[in-house]
Amino acid sequence: MRLKWTLALLGMGLPLTAYAQMQMPQAQPAAPTVAQPLKLPQALPAAQVKDLKTQIDGVLLKQSNSLVTLYKDLHAHPELAFQEKATAAKLAKLMRAAGFTVTEGVGKTGVVAVLKNGEGPMILVRADMDALPMEERTGLPYASKVIADYMGNETPVAHSCGHDVHMAAWIGAARTLAAMKDKWQGTLVFVGQPAEENVSGARAMLDDGFIARFGKPDYGFALHVTPAPTGMILYRNGVTSTNSDSLDLTFHGRGGHGSTPSATIDPVLMAARFTVDVQSVISREKDADAFGVVTIGAIQAGEAGNVIPDEALLRGTIRTQNDQVRTRILDGITRTAKAVAMMAGAREPSLTIRPGGKTVVNDATLTARTVDVFKAAFGLNVQPMPQPMPGSEDYSEFVLAGIPSVYFFIGGYEKSRFEAGIKAGNLPTNHSPEFAPDPEPTISTGASALALAVLNVARPAPEVSAP
């Protein structure tokens, strides 16, 4: 009997009925027409794909224990954005051992590992390295106990987004491709990217001359673990993620004694009012059919319960999928902040909105070709995503630099654990302090999928694919 899964978040968000939709065979929409067709080699026959999958599984089986050990080590020793020095050093050492030529310090802490194998395309494979400023509450024996400086404060650090899985799968794919050099031709460019969580690491690597120094890849691949059953691969043609903007908002009040609020202008009250009132921009100004989110994730004000402080700082995130909605929401945030201050008799607040990750757009032709190979290898475990994820991703910078790419998702929860979490209504998702994917078969699925995606295009003599 086919299980109709429901889940509020797919990694970073899908509707409640998403998994139920995924379990039923669906006709796939035609890929959108591209202005300049992407050049790809001849498609691999299904029988050849299955044979390659068998060979890949054999190579990965030999390194399964070492990849899980690597994952646990990375999980226990997370590092924040642009602080990934130990992480980068570990990855660089492993890639050199696999036969890659490695350059460290690209974009501050990024790693670029290159393996040349005859004439053929240049293929980028990216993994993100940084962790989140939050406390882990998984109870795992290898749970993070790391404390680091974050914006001037000592803060717990955890791999609660799954980047440790990405790195382990990345190493597994690199080793596998190095061991199967007789099956491909071209140049591999494996990128260990810093600072994905603050959506600035990809840009830093590009600004550090990534393309000038290493060349412009012909194709690119990246993955993300998500709270779906292990073995599943989820994809989307075209728009795959959202735009993100961050906001820093400071309300300026007049401090004083907590017993005499009439002699003060209370910035905490302004912060609370704004946090509630700004949601009316979403519920009353944004088209109900359009995606848009404003979340206030941090409020910092005062030190003592009997003292009204002078200021209150709010930090938040804005997520959208088109420019019109983004403009409307940003205008609404600005108006609401000014109105809250005006109502309190305070001076105008200080508001800074910083653009972040841009939309990741999967190349239609490359996606169709990659999905064909995934389906031949993984069967019905390969399913489309009904809509883009609400989360953002700065892999978009590589796409915008002109690298046709496929960004896809892998399930991270063993099936019974997934089903139990769904039934109980408490399945931890990415960025939850309890998020902890099952190392296997999550890592091997990711490594196998990345290796197959590369083998699918790593051959010379391209043809022009039909639009």
Side-chain angles (χ1 to χ4, degrees), residues 37-52:
L38 186 65
K39 293 182 178 180
L40 289 171
Q42 293 285 347
L44 293 174
Q48 187 176 349
V49 173
K50 292 176 182 178
D51 180 61
L52 287 171

Side-chain angles (χ1 to χ4, degrees), residues 180-212:
M180 296 176 64
K181 291 177 70 174
D182 60 326
K183 303 298 182 183
W184 60 273
Q185 290 179 248
T187 300
L188 305 183
V189 181
F190 271 59
V191 172
Q193 183 206 303
E196 188 280 327
E197 292 296 354
N198 64 11
V199 289
S200 59
R203 184 72 261 161
M205 295 189 81
L206 289 165
D207 288 346
D208 198 16
F210 172 80
I211 290 176

Side-chain angles (χ1 to χ4, degrees), residues 436-458:
D438 294 305
E440 280 298 338
T442 305
I443 294 169
S444 59
T445 298
S448 179
L450 287 173
L452 282 167
V454 170
L455 291 171
N456 190 30
V457 294

Side-chain angles (χ1 to χ4, degrees), residues 228-234 378 380-382 409-413 441-442 445:
T230 52
M232 285 196 74
I233 295 177
L234 307 169
F378 297 97
L380 292 177
N381 280 330
V382 181
F409 300 83
I410 57 172
Y413 284 145
T442 305
T445 298

Side-chain angles (χ1 to χ4, degrees), residues 216-252:
K216 182 179 177 181
D218 297 286
Y219 318 111
F221 300 98
L223 59 73
H224 207 296
V225 66
T226 194
T230 52
M232 285 196 74
I233 295 177
L234 307 169
Y235 68 92
R236 184 172 173 81
N237 193 353
V239 175
T240 300
S241 69
T242 68
N243 299 311
S244 73
D245 297 279
S246 62
L247 72 86
D248 286 355
L249 173 62
T250 301
F251 286 107
H252 308 287

Side-chain angles (χ1 to χ4, degrees), residues 247-255 265-275 296 298-303 307-315 337 340-341 346-352:
L247 72 86
D248 286 355
L249 173 62
T250 301
F251 286 107
H252 308 287
R254 184 171 64 240
I265 297 176
D266 190 347
V268 178
L269 184 61
M270 286 188 277
R273 179 174 288 139
F274 173 84
T275 301
I296 303 302
I299 300 177
Q300 299 168 1
E303 301 292 340
V307 178
I308 294 173
D310 287 323
E311 295 184 337
L313 169 65
L314 299 86
R315 291 193 173 97
V340 166
R347 65 186 176 92
E348 188 170 297
S350 302
L351 173 62
T352 301

